[in-house]
Amino acid sequence: MFEAVELGQSLDRDEYKQRIAALRTDLLHQQLKLRDEKVATVIIIAGVEGAGKGEVVDQLYNWLDARGLETHIFWDITDEEKQRPWLWRFWRRMPARGEIAIQFGGWYWDPIYQHAKDEIDDAALEDAGRRIRDLEFMLQQDGLQIIKLWFHLSKDKHKQRMKRRREVMSHVRDGVQLARPVKYKKFLCSAEQMLRYTDSSENPWILIEADDDHFRDASVAQAINNSFSRRLSEQRDHDRRSELHDQSIRIEDHAVTVLDAIDLDQSLSDKKYDEQLKRYQKRLHALAWQAYDARRSVVMVFEGWDAAGKGGAIRRLTSAMDARVYRVRSIAAPTEEEFSHHYLWRFWRHLPRDGYMTLYDRSWYGRVLVERVEGFADPHEWRRAYHEINDFEEALVNHGAIVLKFWLHIDQEIQLKRFKDRKRVAWKQYKITEEDWRNREKWDAYKKAVNTMVTHTSTHFAPWHVIAANDKQFARVEVIKTVCEQLEAALERK
């Protein structure tokens, strides 16, 4: 692979100036157009040590408007980052629409170096490549532009650069490469495997010959200019793309849904409710601290019909736990900042640290529920979201998190009764809005969306628990009982 860019190409100073003079105006003009079009861009700067990656980034700041341009380095992983899934550190630094993020190494840094240092095997490298390719495809489908530049040096040139660096910059730590040197051939072998796993028509790698500084910089300017130009000229056919790349399972709609199988007549007497609630709350208190001691984070998702009792169920859970180990997040319409990113961005950035819990009152499933039914997301967007959500939850579980998902189910009559109660009782009136009444008119559409959601996203690592909630007392006990059982089972497995 890398032999293709060991051609000995070079530019003299005059040729270089001539090329850059022609490119700089185009680069800046297209950057401003991308900003106007609200297109986010990630430029990944990766490659052989000593290839001049830092010098290239300095040039980019000369050529482009520095406003909306930000550089991120992922050499060292912080304790905060270690306590969350691997991709968390990258998600929280995703650029907003219209901005550009330059990443040194990006999500490629760790797996390539870990493989080159024999810290992970071929299977782990391939798995990392698969996850990266899925991530890039998902971001690209959402409109983010990814430009991946790999800087290559011939062996002799690499040797010369490293010798000169040690002589004149021995006091400067250029990344972690100097702290953990890797043999040239070993590094290239690992890099070639990763590049093969992650090179795609949507997000291709661009190889840059870096032996000559002038040729390197001119090649970078041309490559970025070409990428900007292609992105601006694209005419995205959403329907065609969703047909080609929809990775979710196709399931026909049926008259009978998963919700129809739920026995809504289940109930608890006051006496049994008090007894069981007290017992399970005591059990949950101990389990929450066991999860903390085991450094296992817990993510709970609560979805359900309006007035199904999500808030009441959450309160019975939190009242059993120490407030220092959990956080409740109520999800409303995205803010302007959140809307300028991929819909999962706001959830990635607020994931709990190892040992802590986050309870979501509504969640990322809004993409395939309210956004689908109300038309806030196009069909190709919510259809691909099933696969994206499954990948997201699998990443949490692979990190060690325990993911619990609840749908609280009631019938239309009970919902109407609770709506009227809320309207009548003064201290409950804040809970009922005109939007709730409008949503009620779309019951059948929401029921269809819920059935598809559960069918597509109830996985062995993060299954749905559909709770009969016509009787609030039964639902509350059933939720806390399920949480206790699932936590016990997960803590015993690991």
Side-chain angles (χ1 to χ4, degrees):
M1 174 185 289
F2 297 118
E3 292 84 352
V5 286
E6 290 188 3
L7 304 177
Q9 300 179 88
S10 63
L11 288 177
D12 62 35
R13 186 177 181 83
D14 291 337
E15 288 178 302
Y16 170 72
K17 285 185 174 181
Q18 185 177 358
R19 285 200 190 183
I20 293 301
L23 285 169
R24 287 187 67 169
T25 302
D26 282 348
L27 276 171
L28 184 59
H29 176 67
Q30 294 191 102
Q31 179 195 6
L32 298 179
K33 287 187 69 176
L34 287 168
R35 183 181 297 171
D36 292 340
E37 295 290 331
K38 301 296 184 185
V39 175
T41 302
V42 169
I43 301 175
I44 294 178
I45 305 292
V48 174
E49 184 180 357
K53 299 183 286 292
E55 297 168 14
V56 167
V57 172
D58 289 342
Q59 289 286 29
L60 290 177
Y61 273 85
N62 288 328
W63 299 334
L64 299 171
D65 183 354
R67 293 170 294 179
L69 188 64
E70 192 167 359
T71 300
H72 302 290
I73 302 169
F74 299 102
W75 292 330
D76 296 315
I77 183 168
T78 66
D79 290 339
E80 183 184 29
E81 292 167 340
K82 290 177 182 177
Q83 294 183 52
R84 290 177 172 87
W86 171 52
L87 289 174
W88 179 78
R89 62 201 299 235
F90 306 109
W91 270 99
R92 63 200 294 258
R93 294 178 175 88
M94 288 292 179
R97 303 188 198 281
E99 297 181 353
I100 297 175
I102 300 173
Q103 297 186 359
F104 275 95
W107 34 78
Y108 291 97
W109 181 273
D110 284 334
I112 290 176
Y113 266 90
Q114 287 169 356
H115 186 264
K117 297 280 287 183
D118 294 322
E119 295 171 3
I120 61 174
D121 60 16
D122 289 350
L125 183 69
E126 184 174 2
D127 181 63
R130 177 192 62 80
R131 285 186 284 162
I132 288 172
R133 184 163 178 160
D134 284 349
L135 170 68
E136 292 179 348
F137 179 77
M138 176 176 65
L139 295 173
Q140 181 263 340
Q141 288 284 284
D142 191 58
L144 185 140
Q145 177 182 209
I146 302 174
I147 303 173
K148 303 187 295 190
L149 305 176
W150 183 271
F151 295 82
H152 180 70
L153 287 174
S154 63
K155 187 174 183 178
D156 289 342
K157 197 68 173 181
H158 174 260
K159 186 176 181 179
Q160 293 173 18
R161 294 269 181 96
M162 295 310 298
K163 180 180 179 181
R164 185 166 69 247
R165 174 182 294 176
R166 283 190 292 269
E167 291 173 349
V168 302
M169 299 183 66
S170 59
H171 64 291
V172 177
R173 184 186 180 196
D174 184 17
V176 296
Q177 293 129 308
L178 293 180
R180 52 171 186 176
V182 177
K183 291 184 178 180
Y184 175 86
K185 187 175 181 180
K186 181 77 171 177
F187 176 78
L188 285 189
C189 180
S190 300
E192 182 176 335
Q193 289 185 61
M194 177 57 81
L195 266 61
R196 284 193 291 105
Y197 296 147
T198 56
D199 188 54
S200 66
S201 59
E202 300 88 6
N203 300 297
W205 275 103
I206 302 170
L207 303 184
I208 304 292
E209 185 174 6
D211 281 16
D212 177 78
D213 293 352
H214 287 156
F215 181 81
R216 176 200 64 204
D217 292 354
S219 297
V220 168
Q222 188 65 63
I224 294 177
N225 191 57
N226 291 344
S227 296
F228 283 178
S229 179
R230 281 194 299 271
R231 181 63 183 82
L232 288 168
S233 65
E234 280 182 350
Q235 298 298 321
R236 298 175 61 189
D237 185 341
H238 296 308
D239 294 333
R240 182 182 64 83
R241 184 167 294 180
S242 66
E243 288 297 321
L244 288 174
H245 301 299
D246 185 5
Q247 301 180 55
S248 59
I249 304 167
R250 300 284 186 173
I251 296 177
E252 297 298 323
D253 295 316
H254 298 287
V256 178
T257 70
V258 66
L259 299 182
D260 294 319
I262 305 303
D263 180 8
L264 292 175
D265 293 331
Q266 299 174 87
S267 62
L268 278 180
S269 65
D270 291 345
K271 182 179 180 180
K272 287 186 176 180
Y273 171 71
D274 291 337
E275 291 174 351
Q276 293 186 30
L277 182 64
K278 184 177 180 180
R279 181 169 76 251
Y280 286 119
Q281 284 184 327
K282 182 178 180 180
R283 194 166 149 191
L284 177 59
H285 181 84
L287 286 166
W289 282 114
Q290 286 180 37
Y292 176 83
D293 291 338
R295 313 310 295 164
R296 300 287 300 277
S297 60
V298 180
V299 173
M300 298 188 205
V301 170
F302 290 86
E303 297 282 357
W305 298 104
D306 293 329
K310 297 182 293 297
I314 290 172
R315 284 194 296 275
R316 271 64 185 183
L317 289 168
T318 57
S319 63
M321 299 184 291
D322 191 308
R324 290 171 292 184
V325 299
Y326 73 82
R327 178 173 294 181
V328 177
R329 290 200 174 274
S330 296
I331 304 303
T335 65
E336 184 177 349
E337 180 188 25
E338 292 168 341
F339 190 72
S340 69
H341 292 81
H342 190 281
Y343 72 95
L344 287 175
W345 176 79
R346 60 173 171 159
F347 303 107
W348 268 102
R349 63 200 295 252
H350 292 305
L351 290 176
R353 290 186 295 148
D354 290 347
Y356 293 85
M357 296 187 182
T358 298
L359 293 79
Y360 290 93
D361 186 349
R362 301 203 183 278
S363 67
W364 42 92
Y365 284 98
R367 186 67 157 190
V368 295
L369 292 174
V370 64
E371 292 186 38
R372 168 186 172 173
V373 175
E374 302 299 334
F376 299 143
D378 292 334
H380 74 277
E381 292 176 320
W382 59 256
R383 282 177 182 144
R384 70 170 184 258
Y386 302 118
H387 178 74
E388 295 170 352
I389 288 170
N390 286 338
D391 276 358
F392 170 50
E393 292 174 353
E394 186 177 25
L396 304 186
V397 173
N398 287 342
H399 177 72
I402 302 167
V403 179
L404 304 175
K405 303 185 302 193
F406 297 93
W407 174 267
L408 272 61
H409 184 45
I410 57 177
D411 61 32
Q412 287 178 285
E413 290 73 21
I414 287 294
Q415 186 188 62
L416 180 59
K417 178 180 181 302
R418 293 180 184 176
F419 276 14
K420 289 179 177 178
D421 288 343
R422 289 179 174 184
K423 191 173 183 179
R424 184 178 65 255
V425 180
W427 57 273
K428 289 185 176 182
Q429 288 175 0
Y430 78 95
K431 294 183 177 183
I432 188 74
T433 66
E434 289 301 318
E435 185 178 348
D436 295 327
W437 291 103
R438 287 196 299 271
N439 290 345
R440 178 175 165 79
E441 294 175 1
K442 299 179 180 179
W443 182 279
D444 290 340
Y446 274 102
K447 184 178 178 181
K448 177 180 176 181
V450 172
N451 183 67
T452 310
M453 174 193 75
V454 172
T455 306
H456 283 65
T457 61
S458 191
T459 58
H460 70 278
F461 51 82
W464 276 102
H465 303 280
V466 182
I467 307 295
N470 269 8
D471 181 80
K472 289 184 178 180
Q473 296 188 153
F474 175 85
R476 291 166 181 171
V477 168
E478 192 67 16
V479 166
I480 196 169
K481 173 186 174 184
T482 302
V483 170
C484 288
E485 291 173 348
Q486 294 299 309
L487 287 180
E488 285 176 341
L491 292 171
E492 286 175 3
R493 286 195 298 268
K494 190 174 182 179

